[in-house]
Amino acid sequence: MVFVFLLVLLFDVVGCLDNGVALTPPMGWMQWERFRCNIDCKNDPENCISEKLVMDIADRMERDGYQDVGYTYISLDDCWMSEERDSDGSLQPDKDRFPHGIKYLADYVHSKGLKLGIYLDMGLKTCKGYPGSKFYIQRDVQSLQEWGVDMLKVDCCSGGSDLIKGYEVMGFFLNQTGRPIVFSCSYPACIGNQFSDYMGVAKLCNSWRNAIDITDSWDRVYQVMQFYVLNTHNFARYSGPGHWNDPDELIVGDYSLSDGEERSQFGMWAMFAAPLFMSVDLRNIKPSSRNLLLNKRVIAINQDPLGIQAQIMWQHAWTDQGMVSGWARPLVKKGSYAIAILNGSSYGMPAPINATLQDFGLTNQDGYNITDAFDGLSLGPHKLTQPILLKLPAHDTFLGTVVPL
Ligand code: GLA
């Protein structure tokens, strides 16, 4: 106990995670939203959490172009473990579903130039009841190092009052590995609305969940966006190279979203400088969703090296069915911005948009060229006060890059 306390003190002095990774938001695939805790390989061998699923996804990421546009990490979530630690206290994967072990899986993923992510929990148990890392932090980080893991999501179900200290100890041991492991922390989301120490989490973690869990529903996606509208404790300010707010996985290509809603989630996640983790069956994804996920113009906005998260610039009602909002984020290219207009209203008739670049806080007197990031088409040069004329259907988003003339 004294030892751990000293380590925490030492980490406080050393300061922060020092791994040089996630200088732009990490991109990849994550198991949870789409595949959940499906451990029934007997009846559902294609979809259960297993080495086969990870290897299938790795093959798709390589073959179908995802890796080429930046998706790199393949991350297991809850339910990969055996229910018991082994005799020396180490975590072990479920032997039937991961017969060759995690190192084998990491080697396979690495052979394609991809990286492997894994999930732990800071409490006594994971959210689904598998062994937690409390009292085993050093041992578990050692396992990750031995296996060659590249990203770690640490959850916080059943975490106690010393939750954040546990993450600090974890950060200390991750630093000790010398291995660049992306450290994704869930404790802001577990603590909920009263969480305010964004400065602290940005020092300790490469990304952190702060909003509610995503599900396969537009309502939930929009609820997360509303959290970003509120921007409680000005959390947007703490996003930047090496440390990102994480609004949870992308559900593009799953069952529930319309084309416009998919554009909205992907486009707004790009504006939020969010980690882009697809949670979708890449073996069966429809072409339109795949093309969206591969859209290089949108990804370039997300991956802009300045790493400044978008802020809401204006918002007004469109009928009594909801709000239309305008967002902007500066881009690295001098004087350039990305702008988004999100129609959160459910009114059937498309919302007539006539916002001006001035409404987005832009100031270049000569005006700007606007390009639609989804289809690459130019909207032409616009003076500062010239309306951007659009008709935006319910739940759809306009996303544009804006370059000074
Ligand atoms: C929590 C997390 C999710 C997922 C599950 C796993 O709900 O927020 O992202 O990791 O646990 O059980």
Side-chain angles (χ1 to χ4, degrees):
M1 201 60 209
V2 173
F3 178 58
V4 167
F5 181 67
L6 286 174
L7 287 176
V8 169
L9 276 183
L10 183 60
F11 191 73
D12 279 349
V13 175
V14 173
C16 51
L17 198 64
D18 177 23
N19 59 11
V21 291
L23 296 181
T24 60
M27 296 172 64
W29 177 93
M30 191 172 270
Q31 157 211 326
W32 185 249
E33 191 285 328
R34 174 61 181 79
F35 293 93
R36 301 285 172 176
C37 190
N38 181 351
I39 56 173
D40 186 4
C41 289
K42 192 153 167 280
N43 294 307
D44 197 4
E46 288 295 308
N47 300 301
C48 63
I49 308 313
S50 66
E51 69 183 25
K52 177 186 180 329
L53 178 64
V54 173
M55 291 162 83
D56 280 359
I57 296 296
D59 294 347
R60 291 293 171 159
M61 295 226 332
E62 183 189 35
R63 205 185 315 149
D64 295 343
Y66 299 97
Q67 185 178 9
D68 294 339
V69 297
Y71 297 95
T72 305
Y73 293 89
I74 303 186
S75 193
L76 283 164
D77 207 277
D78 208 346
C79 308
W80 62 270
M81 297 172 196
S82 159
E83 285 183 4
E84 303 293 339
R85 289 175 178 270
D86 73 9
S87 52
D88 77 355
S90 303
L91 285 173
Q92 46 187 349
D94 179 274
K95 289 202 166 49
D96 295 327
R97 293 182 287 115
F98 296 88
H100 300 94
I102 302 298
K103 168 121 183 35
Y104 170 87
L105 207 49
D107 289 347
Y108 185 81
V109 164
H110 292 158
S111 73
K112 296 176 177 294
L114 296 164
K115 293 179 188 297
L116 187 70
I118 218 162
Y119 167 101
L120 300 176
D121 191 288
M122 196 43 80
L124 290 167
K125 297 267 182 211
T126 74
C127 301
K128 287 292 177 189
Y130 291 87
S133 294
K134 193 164 187 168
F135 309 126
Y136 292 91
I137 298 175
Q138 185 174 15
R139 183 75 201 85
D140 292 351
V141 170
Q142 198 182 324
S143 295
L144 304 188
Q145 189 173 19
E146 285 162 13
W147 293 334
V149 167
D150 310 289
M151 175 178 146
L152 171 63
K153 169 175 168 179
V154 182
D155 214 342
C156 34
C157 283
S158 77
S161 54
D162 50 358
L163 184 66
I164 298 181
K165 281 289 169 220
Y167 280 88
E168 288 171 354
V169 173
M170 183 76 87
F172 172 83
F173 285 119
L174 286 170
N175 265 349
Q176 295 294 94
T177 65
R179 191 178 167 80
I181 300 176
V182 173
F183 188 26
S184 159
C185 303
S186 296
Y187 66 86
C190 289
I191 292 169
N193 274 340
Q194 70 269 37
F195 177 80
S196 61
D197 185 17
Y198 280 96
M199 180 97 81
V201 72
K203 273 170 98 182
L204 182 59
C205 308
N206 294 119
S207 66
W208 53 89
R209 291 277 314 282
N210 56 357
I212 194 167
D213 278 10
I214 209 82
T215 62
D216 197 352
S217 121
W218 167 254
D219 286 351
R220 192 54 78 90
V221 169
Y222 196 59
Q223 202 178 332
V224 173
M225 291 173 178
Q226 291 307 299
F227 184 69
Y228 276 65
V229 170
L230 290 177
N231 191 22
T232 322
H233 306 294
N234 201 359
F235 65 76
R237 185 149 73 87
Y238 299 95
S239 246
H243 42 94
W244 310 98
N245 286 294
D246 178 5
D248 209 3
E249 297 138 287
L250 295 165
I251 60 163
V252 172
D254 291 328
Y255 300 106
S256 75
L257 298 188
S258 68
D259 289 353
E261 290 167 347
E262 292 199 338
R263 275 192 291 276
S264 288
Q265 194 197 16
F266 196 51
M268 291 310 295
W269 264 229
M271 291 297 281
F272 296 156
L276 295 181
F277 280 89
M278 313 177 280
S279 194
V280 57
D281 189 347
L282 293 178
R283 299 165 301 191
N284 298 309
I285 189 169
K286 57 180 181 294
S288 60
S289 303
R290 175 172 167 241
N291 290 339
L292 180 62
L293 290 166
L294 295 178
N295 187 313
K296 287 187 186 167
R297 288 175 297 271
V298 181
I299 292 172
I301 292 172
N302 173 264
Q303 295 287 301
D304 185 80
L306 275 188
I308 297 175
Q309 185 177 317
Q311 301 268 10
I312 188 164
M313 305 307 288
W314 51 267
Q315 178 162 238
H316 61 72
W318 166 235
T319 76
D320 59 357
Q321 296 298 309
M323 309 295 277
V324 177
S325 54
W327 300 72
R329 65 173 283 193
L331 301 177
V332 72
K333 192 165 166 218
K334 201 169 173 356
S336 298
Y337 286 79
I339 61 168
I341 305 171
L342 165 67
N343 181 3
S345 164
S346 299
Y347 201 53
M349 181 188 142
I353 305 296
N354 55 13
T356 66
L357 288 170
Q358 210 165 39
D359 297 335
F360 290 89
L362 304 197
T363 55
N364 182 39
Q365 291 304 322
D366 292 339
Y368 295 80
N369 260 324
I370 307 177
T371 306
D372 184 322
F374 289 121
D375 62 17
L377 296 178
S378 172
L379 277 69
H382 276 64
K383 295 280 180 210
L384 277 182
T385 54
Q386 180 184 342
I388 306 167
L389 294 173
L390 300 167
K391 294 207 184 317
L392 201 55
H395 306 176
D396 207 340
T397 290
F398 169 78
L399 182 69
T401 48
V402 173
V403 179
L405 288 168

